[in-house]
Amino acid sequence: MKRILVCLSLLFIMAPCLYAIDVTEISEVRLRNEASRSELDSTDLGLITKFWDKAINTMLLSDDSQEVVEIRRQIEEQKGSMPLSFYTSAYISGANESLKVAFQNAQRIDDPVKKQMLEQNLMILTAQLKDPELAELALSRLDDGDPVIRYWAVRAVTNSGVIQALSSEVTADEDAKAAILNGLKGRIVFEQQADIMVMIINFAGVIDHPTAREILQTIAERRIESYMNWSVESEEVDTKLLIAMGNIAMIQEDEAVKASFARQFARLYALVFQRYQMGQDVLSDWQIEAAVTVILEVDKEVLAKMLNIPQTGVSRAIQQNSRLDREYESIFGDRLRKGDLAMIYQFEYGKDASGKPLTEPPQMPAPPAKITDTEE
């Protein structure tokens, strides 16, 4: 994680003005067409193409990372602030064509350092333009071995602009939505970076699509497995995942989907409670604090809403340094009775050997004598 953050900070170093390319013509085209909101004529379209050619060629010829970053900033700036305008549509079309060629040309560069620098900046630019039309450029790089490129490839298909476009009745593209979701579905099997997983969760949590829900369920199963074998890392993933799943359980009209997400929410959240309670003697202070953070954030954001009450007793119990047994049994159930979540959302945790419904979630095994602390 630290390596990614360092690389990202270097890629965002601001450059002096001497690196600026001439944006006079493209700025005039943008301002004039944003004001008139009229279709572009052939002259304006030609100037957009001219700007893209000049900017991308200058980037590819440069050996100076500061110059590349500054040109990248200027290109992003010239997109404008009106995503549905004729100008922006033409600008993004130009981006799609120019970036495809730029990535191909970057592959031919012999110097590995320059090649990596350019590919990273091209992927960042793709993400910062925030348009689903550019998704194909990013989807082919979701499995890239460079974690910086992979991070920005995921961001390019999950950012707020893409979410807005895919969720709008005016701009929704079902083919693009399916392609992005299928790409992310394939990525989660291998992805280990927490920040990338959080982006995928945030995206899947707001896109109303069966594949988006499948992604969340798959991630939840992976996280449940990590709790059951005491190998949990990056608990911030669980916070985002539980909030997303809780919200889906609340807003879904399909009763089967509602019950499925509430059940998975309860299974995973119960394990966070168990890890906190059972790990007091084997977890580090940092690991215990991470578990507490998940419990409190999820309690605050969705649990009380799911239970349709003003607040639970979870926060108060933790503040008083009390055990959470009473709260746990009330929320999740015990061996004899269903908990509040199972009662409200009409689910069970499975069946025992005799076929009788289980009224309590799975129990973690006893913790190992020592657990590795992977704090970074």
Side-chain angles (χ1 to χ4, degrees):
M1 177 70 75
K2 287 181 178 179
R3 178 173 176 266
I4 290 183
L5 294 177
V6 170
C7 290
L8 293 180
S9 65
L10 291 174
L11 288 166
F12 277 91
I13 294 174
M14 294 305 296
C17 292
L18 64 91
Y19 291 129
I21 57 175
D22 186 0
V23 297
T24 304
E25 288 183 330
I26 191 68
S27 294
E28 290 176 353
V29 173
R30 175 174 58 81
L31 293 172
R32 182 174 66 256
N33 283 277
E34 285 182 345
S36 66
R37 301 191 180 188
S38 58
E39 293 192 47
L40 280 69
D41 59 26
S42 59
T43 300
D44 287 344
L45 292 172
L47 289 172
I48 290 175
T49 300
K50 177 183 174 182
F51 173 75
W52 270 107
D53 289 345
K54 175 66 175 178
I56 291 297
N57 286 336
T58 305
M59 284 182 70
L60 292 174
L61 291 171
S62 177
D63 294 316
D64 191 312
S65 61
Q66 286 186 315
E67 180 178 21
V68 170
V69 171
E70 176 61 13
I71 294 171
R72 192 190 76 210
R73 183 194 66 78
Q74 291 177 299
I75 293 173
E76 179 195 355
E77 187 177 70
Q78 292 307 317
K79 176 190 175 185
S81 58
M82 299 174 64
L84 298 181
S85 69
F86 290 111
Y87 168 82
T88 300
S89 178
Y91 193 80
I92 292 298
S93 292
N96 199 20
E97 294 302 319
S98 294
L99 288 170
K100 283 179 183 177
V101 175
F103 276 113
Q104 293 169 0
N105 290 336
Q107 283 286 317
R108 302 187 182 100
I109 295 174
D110 293 329
D111 182 349
V113 175
K114 179 178 179 179
K115 176 182 175 182
Q116 182 185 48
M117 182 268 291
L118 287 171
E119 288 187 327
Q120 288 177 348
N121 277 280
L122 289 170
M123 197 70 259
I124 293 172
L125 176 57
T126 303
Q128 290 182 325
L129 290 172
K130 297 183 178 181
D131 196 288
E133 187 175 336
L134 306 178
E136 185 179 348
L137 293 169
L139 288 172
S140 63
R141 292 165 179 81
L142 294 182
D143 297 327
D144 200 283
D146 183 337
V148 175
I149 292 177
R150 196 166 71 248
Y151 171 91
W152 286 100
V154 173
R155 187 160 175 173
V157 297
T158 62
N159 61 64
S160 59
V162 172
I163 290 172
Q164 183 177 0
L166 295 181
S167 302
S168 168
E169 294 183 359
V170 177
T171 58
D173 183 332
E174 292 303 318
D175 290 339
K177 183 187 296 184
I180 291 170
L181 288 169
N182 286 325
L184 296 176
K185 177 183 172 182
R187 182 62 228 161
I188 60 173
V189 178
F190 310 102
E191 188 55 60
Q192 299 296 322
Q193 290 297 142
D195 50 357
I196 292 177
M197 293 300 291
V198 166
M199 286 191 290
I200 294 173
I201 289 167
N202 288 341
F203 180 79
V206 296
I207 297 296
D208 185 14
H209 193 280
T211 305
R213 295 190 285 273
E214 184 181 351
I215 287 170
L216 294 174
Q217 293 276 12
T218 301
I219 296 174
E221 284 296 336
R222 283 184 56 189
R223 299 302 296 181
I224 287 169
E225 181 181 353
S226 69
Y227 274 89
M228 293 300 286
N229 60 30
W230 288 90
S231 61
V232 176
E233 298 179 8
S234 306
E235 286 88 340
E236 65 268 27
V237 173
D238 301 313
T239 300
K240 298 297 184 181
L241 178 59
L242 285 163
I243 291 172
M245 297 187 76
N247 282 325
I248 289 174
M250 285 188 285
I251 67 175
Q252 260 294 321
E253 296 181 359
D254 185 306
E255 293 300 327
V257 174
K258 180 184 288 288
S260 175
F261 270 80
R263 175 180 178 271
Q264 200 77 314
F265 171 92
R267 290 178 65 208
L268 178 56
Y269 198 26
L271 292 175
V272 183
F273 276 69
Q274 292 177 34
R275 177 177 166 87
Y276 168 68
Q277 300 248 86
M278 299 169 64
Q280 292 293 320
D281 296 330
V282 294
L283 297 177
S284 68
D285 291 343
W286 179 84
Q287 289 171 315
I288 291 173
E289 181 61 29
V292 169
T293 298
V294 178
I295 292 171
L296 292 179
E297 284 294 311
V298 175
D299 176 62
K300 174 185 174 184
E301 294 296 326
V302 293
L303 181 60
K305 296 174 186 176
M306 292 179 74
L307 299 176
N308 197 27
I309 57 178
Q311 64 181 38
T312 71
V314 173
S315 176
R316 182 171 61 253
I318 290 178
Q319 290 172 354
Q320 294 174 351
N321 204 27
S322 302
R323 286 187 60 82
L324 296 171
D325 296 340
R326 175 192 285 182
E327 289 74 19
Y328 180 94
E329 292 175 0
S330 174
I331 297 165
F332 304 111
D334 57 30
R335 187 171 56 86
L336 300 176
R337 60 174 290 277
K338 285 185 173 182
D340 294 336
L341 283 172
M343 292 286 289
I344 293 171
Y345 293 91
Q346 295 297 297
F347 67 83
E348 57 191 45
Y349 293 103
K351 299 184 184 300
D352 63 18
S354 66
K356 182 180 178 181
L358 296 173
T359 55
E360 64 178 346
Q363 299 296 304
M364 292 177 67
K370 180 176 176 58
I371 298 176
T372 303
D373 188 342
T374 58
E375 179 182 6
E376 297 181 359

